[in-house]
Amino acid sequence: MKPTTRRRSAPASSHAGHLRAHGQVPVLGRFFPAPVAAKVPEIIFLFWVVKILTTAGGEVTSDYLKKYGNFGGGGTEVALFVIALVLQFGTRRYRAFAYWSLAYAIAIAGTGLSDFLHLDVHIPYAGTTILWAVILAALFWVWQRSEGTLSIHSITTQRREAFYWAVVFATFALGTALGDFTATSLGMGYLASGIFFFAVILVPALAWWRLGLNSIAAFWMAYVVTRPLGASFADYISKPPNITGIGFGNGQTALVIAAAVLVVVSYLAIARPDIQRSVRAYAESRRSVSPTPHLLAPELEVE
């Protein structure tokens, strides 16, 4: 009779190395599945519409939750963020409701954290703006150095998705601080700030269209500006007249914007016009090639 041999389980270090080799994050990879397709939407016009709406909604929702204090309001923001994070990382490909739920939760939590640094830690708006700009630059540098591309068409692995959402969080916090800096510290007021950032967001679009600016750089420049743009107009609608608003109220404004987001995201989930329809980036990432396809050109994805 042949002696039986006991199969040895792979050591934890070997398992972690396997996860890293397949683009997974060691901690996340133990609980969430690896992506099988792109985890972010194609950049179409409605992407920018929902992005600005979520930035606006995140601003006023966080401001409304402040009435419940750091424990009640802040705890709610953290809970929403964790739930949305689990929902998004639990999917294996882009799903509109999961993606925009996390974007909205980050808009709320990013606002709350940025405001906490100003109101409770007493860092001036200029200081928080510089702080988040440095953090964002560092994240971009590490992401580029690690993955070789910042293209949203390369978000086909768990590690790249983690970089993506870390950058998104930093852009929301930076945009919150920047919008408050222009409206309050520079005395521009909310409406003037909104108009200013509307003009600013056109700069990377025009530079990409007419001057040959790299499409990935143009995308991220515009992405950062959507935050102070949406937040400034949301503050103008919700805040009282004595601080340059029209006094509609945080709660009412938050509900209206949330309803608008629900309508548009429901359409995206049903019609699916924003699905990236190509698996080339995924295949190339599996061959350890860093794809850098054109950021704004629509592609076709195989289900």
Side-chain angles (χ1 to χ4, degrees), residues 56-112:
E59 174 76 15
V60 290
T61 301
S62 180
D63 289 346
Y64 175 77
L65 290 173
K66 283 184 180 64
K67 65 187 291 186
Y68 299 104
N70 288 337
F71 182 77
T76 301
E77 292 180 3
V78 171
L80 290 173
F81 172 72
V82 172
I83 292 170
L85 190 71
V86 170
L87 181 64
Q88 169 64 15
F89 276 87
T91 63
R92 305 199 71 181
R93 65 179 72 239
Y94 165 69
R95 301 296 184 195
F97 277 111
Y99 176 90
W100 289 111
S101 292
L102 182 52
Y104 213 148
I106 288 177
I108 297 169
T111 299

Side-chain angles (χ1 to χ4, degrees), residues 185-203:
S185 299
L186 297 184
M188 294 175 61
Y190 297 122
L191 180 59
S193 289
I195 296 172
F196 169 74
F197 286 115
F198 178 77
V200 170
I201 202 172
L202 297 177
V203 173

Side-chain angles (χ1 to χ4, degrees), residues 150-174:
L150 303 178
S151 170
I152 58 120
H153 292 104
S154 72
I155 313 300
T156 53
T157 69
Q158 198 174 75
R159 184 170 58 238
R160 290 176 179 177
E161 185 181 10
F163 277 121
Y164 174 83
W165 288 114
V167 163
V168 169
F169 192 100
T171 63
F172 274 104
L174 170 60

Side-chain angles (χ1 to χ4, degrees), residues 117-150:
L117 292 176
H118 175 72
L119 299 174
D120 294 86
V121 185
H122 304 295
I123 301 175
Y125 286 130
T128 54
T129 299
I130 294 172
L131 171 65
W132 287 111
V134 170
I135 292 173
L136 180 60
L139 286 171
F140 274 135
W141 184 83
V142 175
W143 182 3
Q144 175 68 35
R145 187 174 178 85
S146 171
E147 303 301 314
T149 178
L150 303 178

Side-chain angles (χ1 to χ4, degrees), residues 203-221:
V203 173
L206 292 173
W208 166 75
W209 179 43
R210 303 298 296 178
L211 302 178
L213 177 66
N214 178 272
S215 58
I216 297 175
F219 168 79
W220 285 114
M221 288 178 186

